[in-house]
Amino acid sequence: MPYSVLQPVKRKRRSRSRRPLLLLGLALLIGAGSLAATQPWAHAHGQRSHREEAAIKPSAVSEQALERLRAAAVEQEVAANAPFAPGTRLLLPAAPRLEELPLRPISAPAAILVDANTGAVLWAKRQHQRRPVASTTKIMTAVLALEHLPLTKVVRVNPLAPRAALGREGLRARERVPVWKLMYGLLLFSGNDDALELAIATSGSRGAFLDLMNQKARQLGLRDTHYTSPSGVVDRGNYSSVHDLAALARYAMAIPRFRAITRTHIAHVKWSKPTYAKTYVNKNQLIGTYRGADGVKTGWTTIAGHCLVASARRGGTRLIAVVLDAPDPYGDTRRLLNFGFANS
């Protein structure tokens, strides 16, 4: 009988395919086999079970071994931060390049002008004469502290530091201060207590730090230089020359952190109670008044007179000027820098 459109039609039920289940089972078998195969390889390559790891006991490290590791880390840090390769001439030995050109009289008995990019001496007056250098000594103190102490290291102020002669910023015995704060006190305020504290923190004692200062001077080829003080407050036996100070300034200004601090005009620094805060004003009067000035350090004692190591940059030219025992240190320095920029 033919089907009518009104007659219900019974459809045959399709059987469900078992193919997806078979594929899933096959995948599980393959995964289990792969896991089993990797166990010998993992064991052979050092992946131990929890029981094996629990059985391993760490061996104690001696204090001597730790000290050797610390010393090696410091040496690596110093090598990484060194701005010049060992043996590099910081100043070129050739005759001053601009000595034949007219320059207004310089009142200082010893002065120099240097191209900081090349190390060429542009103009000089008694460049190798050994003279007391007052607080420009702190350039070397800052260099060594930056090369040997992490800026974030917190030091406990040695009781000797607050008793440093003259020019103290007011460190308190046994207060805890990070190195970077002491650096502002050293280079902007020119604190003698900062200098002594950084010396002791770097080398363990004032005497050991003086040995380090003189060793560094020899390494840098500063033949006119000898240190008997980390601050320069002592003139006897503490001397350098405008040549060596310019060379040292070139080395120091290649250290980014040193450069960042010495170009700062005013720094507001939080402090622990009961001080709460300190404001450091850079004693270098060129900062903020002479275009391009970005360092470096002032100094004065009765014997040394007014000393100034200055740095300035305009465009691609950077100059370093040094005057010692100058009746008019800023006038002399401005004349030297203007002369250099005009003839560069």
Side-chain angles (χ1 to χ4, degrees), residues 35 37-49 52:
L35 180 63
T38 58
Q39 289 305 310
W41 180 90
H43 186 78
H45 286 75
Q47 295 184 10
R48 300 178 176 88
S49 66
E52 289 174 319

Coordinates of all heavy atoms in Angstrom, one line a residue, residues 35 37-49 52:
L35 N 54.5 8.6 29.4 CA 54.9 8.9 30.8 C 55.8 7.9 31.4 O 56.8 8.2 32.0 CB 53.6 9.1 31.7 CG 53.9 9.4 33.1 CD1 54.5 10.8 33.2 CD2 52.6 9.4 33.9
A37 N 57.8 6.0 29.7 CA 59.0 6.0 29.0 C 59.9 7.1 29.5 O 61.2 7.0 29.4 CB 58.8 6.2 27.5
T38 N 59.3 8.2 30.0 CA 60.2 9.4 30.4 C 60.7 9.2 31.8 O 61.6 9.9 32.2 CB 59.3 10.7 30.4 OG1 58.2 10.5 31.2 CG2 58.9 11.0 29.0
Q39 N 60.2 8.3 32.6 CA 60.6 8.1 34.0 C 62.1 7.8 34.1 O 62.8 8.4 34.9 CB 59.8 7.1 34.7 CG 58.4 7.5 35.0 CD 58.3 8.8 35.8 OE1 59.0 8.9 36.8 NE2 57.6 9.8 35.3
P40 N 62.6 6.8 33.3 CA 64.1 6.5 33.4 C 64.9 7.7 33.0 O 66.0 8.0 33.6 CB 64.3 5.3 32.5 CG 62.9 4.7 32.3 CD 61.9 5.9 32.4
W41 N 64.5 8.5 32.0 CA 65.2 9.6 31.5 C 65.3 10.7 32.6 O 66.3 11.3 32.9 CB 64.6 10.2 30.3 CG 65.3 11.4 29.7 CD1 66.3 11.4 28.8 CD2 65.1 12.8 30.1 NE1 66.7 12.7 28.6 CE2 66.0 13.5 29.3 CE3 64.2 13.4 30.9 CZ2 66.0 14.9 29.4 CZ3 64.2 14.8 31.1 CH2 65.1 15.5 30.3
A42 N 64.1 10.9 33.3 CA 64.0 12.0 34.3 C 64.9 11.6 35.5 O 65.6 12.4 36.0 CB 62.6 12.2 34.8
H43 N 64.9 10.3 35.8 CA 65.8 9.9 37.0 C 67.2 10.0 36.6 O 68.0 10.5 37.5 CB 65.4 8.4 37.3 CG 66.2 8.0 38.5 ND1 65.7 8.3 39.8 CD2 67.3 7.2 38.7 CE1 66.6 7.8 40.7 NE2 67.5 7.1 40.0
A44 N 67.6 9.7 35.4 CA 69.0 9.8 35.0 C 69.4 11.3 34.9 O 70.6 11.6 35.0 CB 69.2 9.2 33.6
H45 N 68.5 12.2 34.7 CA 68.9 13.6 34.6 C 68.7 14.4 35.9 O 68.6 15.6 35.8 CB 68.2 14.3 33.4 CG 68.7 13.9 32.1 ND1 68.4 12.6 31.6 CD2 69.5 14.5 31.2 CE1 69.0 12.5 30.4 NE2 69.7 13.6 30.1
G46 N 68.6 13.8 37.0 CA 68.6 14.5 38.2 C 67.3 14.8 38.8 O 67.2 15.5 39.9
Q47 N 66.2 14.4 38.3 CA 64.9 14.7 38.9 C 64.6 13.6 39.9 O 64.2 12.4 39.5 CB 63.8 14.7 37.8 CG 63.9 15.9 36.8 CD 62.8 15.9 35.8 OE1 61.8 15.3 36.0 NE2 62.9 16.8 34.8
R48 N 64.7 13.9 41.1 CA 64.6 12.9 42.2 C 63.2 12.9 42.8 O 62.5 13.9 42.7 CB 65.6 13.2 43.3 CG 67.1 13.3 42.8 CD 68.0 13.6 44.0 NE 69.4 13.6 43.6 CZ 70.0 14.6 43.0 NH1 69.4 15.7 42.8 NH2 71.3 14.5 42.7
S49 N 62.9 11.8 43.4 CA 61.6 11.7 44.1 C 61.6 12.5 45.4 O 62.7 13.0 45.8 CB 61.4 10.2 44.5 OG 62.3 9.8 45.4
E52 N 63.9 11.0 48.0 CA 65.3 11.3 47.7 C 65.7 12.7 48.1 O 66.8 13.0 48.6 CB 65.6 11.0 46.2 CG 65.6 9.6 45.8 CD 65.8 9.4 44.3 OE1 65.2 10.1 43.6 OE2 66.5 8.4 44.0

